[in-house]
Amino acid sequence: MGKRKFDDNQITGILKEHQAGVTVADVCHRYGISEPTFYRWQSLQSGNVGLHAKRLRALEEENQKLKKLLAESMLSAATLSEMLAKTSKGRH
């Protein structure tokens, strides 16, 4: 397999250029790629969008769980601090 001519960021830029209204033929000519290559990139990119959306949702759910755990532990620590302060006052 040969060396890749374009990295993922460049491919994304090329696909966005087409989405902005430039024809496939013009994009392919400008970057020296074939139309089948362009359409392969497009199909791979659209497949990744679904994967990215699922991953983002999973990360958001995990973030919410972690925020809830943090809030609960902070509340517990505050309650323990108040109880300790009250018992310390009673001893002195």
Side-chain angles (χ1 to χ4, degrees):
M1 184 179 278
K3 184 178 174 187
R4 291 179 62 178
K5 188 174 179 181
F6 299 99
D7 64 21
D8 292 337
N9 292 333
Q10 291 171 320
I11 291 171
T12 301
I14 292 169
L15 294 174
K16 284 183 180 179
E17 191 172 324
H18 168 65
Q19 290 173 348
V22 181
T23 64
V24 173
D26 289 341
V27 170
C28 291
H29 180 71
R30 179 176 301 138
Y31 294 101
I33 59 173
S34 66
E35 288 189 21
T37 297
F38 176 85
Y39 288 116
R40 182 170 39 85
W41 287 351
Q42 196 174 40
S43 69
L44 290 172
Q45 190 80 10
S46 65
N48 286 339
V49 170
L51 293 175
H52 291 308
K54 286 180 184 178
R55 176 121 173 90
L56 180 61
R57 255 192 314 276
L59 288 173
E60 287 173 345
E61 288 174 7
E62 182 182 8
N63 193 26
Q64 288 300 319
K65 289 177 185 176
L66 291 172
K67 283 181 179 182
K68 184 178 178 182
L69 286 172
L70 177 62
E72 289 172 354
S73 66
M74 289 176 70
L75 180 61
S76 178
T79 304
L80 290 173
S81 293
E82 286 178 23
M83 291 174 65
L84 182 61
K86 288 179 183 178
T87 56
S88 296
K89 287 180 185 177
R91 291 186 179 177
H92 290 117

